[in-house]
Amino acid sequence: MSLIATGVKPTLAVYSGICLVLLPLQFGLRKDCRLIVKKLTLVLGAVILLYIGYSYNNWFHWGTFNLTNLGPRHSLVPCLVTGCYQNYPDRSLVQEIEQIYNNSIENGDTGRGWETTTPIMQLFGTTAREQNINVRHFTSYCINTDRIAYIQYLCSNIIYWWRQSYSPYYYNAHPFSDISDSGKNPVFKIILFLQRDLPAFRIASGFYMIAFSLLLTIYQWIVTKQCPWFYLGVWGAATVIEFSVFLGSYGSFTRLTVYILPFLYFGWALIINDLALYMQKKSSQYKTA
């Protein structure tokens, strides 16, 4: 399933990463499931080999050992926004970047879009592979010169998007924004109905679930002396999805983190179920007393 999800969205390779952590843990704690874990580990190993092969193909053609070739472009944005690019020793290159960046801001661009990053990347080579390799080295150097500014940039993104609702795409700009149009794809109409007319989770809810599921994992593990697998899975999935997106991208976080929703639904169902069982237990004890 993680492989299929990755085929839909390369970012969802993080699902495989979650499995990679949970399987050894289950092998150690669940002796009754070790045969199943061994079989799943072989399958997961095959999936990871596919990822490695695909990443090598991207490295060969695009200069990025990853499932996508957008990493260098994404890492360029924090350098521009924080001004870290000015710490690069090649002053003539810095001046060219500054001119492009300032011109894009004056023309109404946010400084984060392709209108800004594309001409800057073109300063680093004549081919896409050469540009990606050189931009990666450039951004790595610049970010390391001012880690505090980079951390502040990450925090500011979370604060800015904190109250925004998760969304399957750019809602306001999407041509399927009118569900009354009978000619539109019915799948999109269903998504828009859920998005527009039902209560939507916000970015903040993902971070709340990270905190709640972690605390409940620790609490139940201590109290029951057994690993609460469901809470651990919710915590791991929510954490990896949120932080991998905020660390690896530069915008559209409501769209890129929408894959957390199944884990939010499941996490809240677990919490409500445990609360109901707790109240039922207390009620039973009261009646007995």
Side-chain angles (χ1 to χ4, degrees):
M1 290 181 67
S2 67
L3 178 63
I4 295 172
T6 304
V8 175
K9 186 74 174 178
T11 309
L12 298 185
V14 297
Y15 289 172
S16 299
I18 296 168
C19 295
L20 191 62
V21 174
L22 287 177
L23 286 178
L25 192 59
Q26 286 188 323
F27 185 83
L29 299 178
R30 293 287 304 275
K31 295 181 180 180
D32 57 322
C33 295
R34 283 185 173 178
L35 181 60
I36 297 176
V37 171
K38 288 179 181 178
K39 293 178 180 179
L40 287 174
T41 301
L42 290 175
V43 176
L44 181 62
V47 170
I48 292 174
L49 286 176
L50 285 174
Y51 292 160
I52 293 174
Y54 193 88
S55 297
Y56 176 78
N57 181 69
N58 274 341
W59 166 256
F60 184 80
H61 289 94
W62 302 100
T64 59
F65 192 82
N66 206 316
L67 295 176
T68 74
N69 58 5
L70 296 177
R73 184 184 295 272
H74 287 181
S75 64
L76 181 60
V77 172
C79 293
L80 298 175
V81 174
T82 62
C84 291
Y85 70 92
Q86 297 176 350
N87 299 333
Y88 199 68
D90 188 340
R91 304 316 302 171
S92 61
L93 177 62
V94 169
Q95 290 176 359
E96 290 184 273
I97 293 174
E98 187 168 24
Q99 183 176 359
I100 295 173
Y101 181 67
N102 290 337
N103 288 341
S104 68
I105 297 295
E106 292 174 0
N107 292 331
D109 188 32
T110 61
R112 299 170 180 244
W114 284 46
E115 298 84 355
T116 304
T117 56
T118 296
I120 291 177
M121 292 189 69
Q122 290 172 349
L123 300 174
F124 290 86
T126 56
T127 66
R129 187 176 192 276
E130 186 179 3
Q131 291 171 9
N132 283 329
I133 293 174
N134 291 334
V135 167
R136 174 67 74 186
H137 292 157
F138 171 80
T139 57
S140 177
Y141 176 90
C142 294
I143 290 174
N144 284 327
T145 61
D146 197 345
R147 281 285 176 181
I148 300 299
Y150 179 66
I151 294 172
Q152 290 174 342
Y153 161 82
L154 296 177
C155 293
S156 66
N157 280 334
I158 295 175
I159 293 171
Y160 177 82
W161 294 91
W162 188 257
R163 295 186 58 81
Q164 300 294 320
S165 298
Y166 292 99
S167 173
Y169 39 67
Y170 300 103
Y171 181 80
N172 293 329
H174 202 279
F176 296 109
S177 58
D178 183 8
I179 65 174
S180 64
D181 188 344
S182 60
K184 300 304 181 184
N185 187 313
V187 174
F188 279 106
K189 294 178 72 173
I190 293 173
I191 292 174
L192 284 168
F193 171 75
L194 295 172
Q195 181 71 15
R196 191 190 71 172
D197 295 330
L198 297 181
F201 283 106
R202 301 181 186 276
I203 292 290
S205 61
F207 289 93
Y208 291 146
M209 182 54 65
I210 290 172
F212 293 156
S213 56
L214 176 59
L215 292 174
L216 289 169
T217 296
I218 296 172
Y219 173 77
Q220 289 197 3
W221 206 332
I222 293 174
V223 172
T224 65
K225 308 299 182 184
Q226 294 181 342
C227 178
W229 296 105
F230 289 152
Y231 278 120
L232 181 63
V234 169
W235 171 73
T239 301
V240 169
I241 291 173
E242 290 286 6
F243 283 93
S244 64
V245 171
F246 275 94
L247 287 171
S249 189
Y250 62 86
S252 303
F253 297 110
T254 58
R255 175 176 61 89
L256 297 175
T257 56
V258 73
Y259 311 100
I260 198 177
L261 288 180
F263 301 101
L264 290 185
Y265 299 149
F266 188 66
W268 282 116
L270 287 174
I271 293 172
I272 293 171
N273 179 70
D274 283 351
L275 286 174
L277 292 175
Y278 176 78
M279 294 174 65
Q280 185 181 30
K281 181 180 177 180
K282 286 295 182 181
S283 176
S284 178
Q285 290 175 349
Y286 176 77
K287 290 179 181 179
T288 302

